[in-house]
Amino acid sequence: ASNISHESLEKYVEEISNLPKEQGWRPLKDLCLYQNFWFYPFFLQGALYARDHFRPRPTDIFLCSSMKTGSTWLKALSFTIATRGSHRLDGSDPTIPLRTTVPHDCIPFLEFNEYSTTTTVAAEGSKIQLYASHLPYTCLPKSIHDSNCRIVYICRDPKDTFVSLWFFLKKFVSNQTKTDPDPDPDQDHDTVSLIPIEEAFDLFCKGISSYGPYWEHVLSYWEASKRNPENILIIKYEDMVKDTGSWVRKLAEFFGCGFSEEEEEKGVVERVVEMCSFESLRDMEVNKSGMKHEKRGKEIESSAYFRKGIVGHWRNYLSDEMGKKIDGIVEEKLRGSGFRF
Ligand code: A3P
């Protein structure tokens, strides 16, 4: 849990209250526009705190992503790679953190101010400290821009990302309704649910989504990686699905702890891949039955992070026309950048 006092975050409430707002994905809160991106106030508060207080060490590594692009997977893989020296990965070691801890809780999250606590398992057995963030590159604390920290960015096809986001927030909303200790008496709680997918789609296409516009998020890291290719590694979810082993090797190299010949011979890469596969993570007891604590009282089932894990699953929920619409928008926005999904 964060050890930042509530008061020190309070001062950001006013700054946030002065930002432009948009009624977004009802019944979720309004989104606020900060430096050309849309944020929920809760995350923005943490981001502003980080802006003013976070001081990275040059060896820190950031796992960055927009929402629902494969960050759980990236965290599990990175964490396993970084800590592989202290655990047997053959399934016989009950102390493997991934078996007892949801991947998100293995790595401190910048917007939750978790860097001020020292009890992160990520530090254990590895020389590097991993952090995670959903902030666009341009909204990361300047201290990170000015550092030589390494950043891994994972992105994903916008259509699958959108569908994944809609399902996730739908679950989150229905959870809040069920568990809200202080329900609004004017609302009929049985009927509160997230706006229909078509409505959310229109908002997403206008860029109005948590940490959106999504394409601008991707562009922010893409442009930064062109300027600083040694320190910013961009991964596409679809590429990682196709050949996870190569990306596990690339990640390890990038972290400065590449696999030794001996490890290669022992099949350690394959074990990392297997342990972090969708099925393996989904079926772990901790991810099946646990709750991931969204800080300050809000919760979501850990199982919400493991829905389908299928490339192209959007076709079950969006029409061809909708698919073409978003592809068209993204193509236009990314034109000339050299990036393609
Ligand atoms: P779907 O909703 O399409 O199934 P994030 O982790 O950034 O929240 O992204 C969530 C998406 O990643 C979900 O996509 C989820 O199922 C998928 N996912 C989670 N763990 C995965 C894994 N180990 N391998 C592949 N995809 C995974």
Side-chain angles (χ1 to χ4, degrees), residues 65-73 104 134 156 160 164 237 241 276-278 281 305-310:
S65 61
S66 193
M67 285 178 72
K68 312 319 290 175
T69 60
S71 48
T72 313
W73 190 18
H104 292 281
H134 282 322
R156 183 183 190 190
D160 282 331
S164 187
Y237 178 91
V241 167
C276 299
S277 74
F278 177 80
L281 290 179
Y305 289 92
F306 309 95
R307 195 181 62 93
K308 291 278 175 206
I310 295 174

Side-chain angles (χ1 to χ4, degrees), residues 121-294:
V121 258
E124 220 177 85
S126 66
K127 283 179 231 73
I128 53 171
Q129 173 67 54
L130 299 167
Y131 288 103
S133 176
H134 282 322
L135 292 175
Y137 182 80
T138 46
C139 298
L140 287 172
K142 186 162 178 298
S143 60
I144 299 180
H145 294 158
D146 293 345
S147 74
N148 238 352
C149 289
R150 283 158 290 171
I151 295 176
V152 183
Y153 182 70
I154 185 159
C155 57
R156 183 183 190 190
D157 177 279
K159 303 181 286 307
D160 282 331
T161 303
F162 164 73
V163 167
S164 187
L165 181 64
W166 186 77
F167 274 102
F168 182 77
L169 293 179
K170 189 176 160 67
K171 191 162 238 177
F172 182 74
V173 166
S174 85
N175 249 16
Q176 293 311 292
T177 324
K178 275 183 268 167
T179 60
D180 190 351
D182 183 20
D184 178 349
D186 294 335
Q187 268 184 344
D188 176 357
H189 283 273
D190 292 336
T191 61
V192 175
S193 60
L194 186 64
I195 51 169
I197 197 162
E198 294 77 15
E199 246 180 83
F201 180 79
D202 286 341
L203 287 169
F204 190 84
C205 287
K206 287 185 195 146
I208 304 172
S209 60
S210 181
Y211 293 96
Y214 176 59
W215 47 89
E216 295 295 340
H217 201 288
V218 176
L219 261 184
S220 74
Y221 281 92
W222 175 249
E223 295 299 340
S225 83
K226 283 203 258 180
R227 294 192 301 270
N228 193 355
E230 286 88 53
N231 284 339
I232 304 183
L233 176 69
I234 300 209
I235 303 182
K236 294 181 196 166
Y237 178 91
E238 294 76 14
D239 290 346
M240 203 149 82
V241 167
K242 256 186 240 149
D243 185 1
T244 316
S246 313
W247 284 97
V248 163
R249 288 187 184 90
K250 263 182 231 173
L251 277 170
E253 290 286 334
F254 187 73
F255 295 165
C257 57
F259 291 90
S260 66
E261 249 171 65
E262 196 191 335
E263 284 181 307
E264 285 284 359
E265 272 161 30
K266 280 191 186 155
V268 178
V269 175
E270 289 71 20
R271 272 193 230 141
V272 172
V273 171
E274 166 47 32
M275 191 160 149
C276 299
S277 74
F278 177 80
E279 291 75 18
S280 156
L281 290 179
R282 180 195 60 193
D283 295 342
M284 279 181 195
E285 206 48 48
V286 61
N287 296 328
K288 270 202 293 209
S289 56
M291 291 298 272
K292 150 101 181 89
H293 296 264
E294 293 292 342

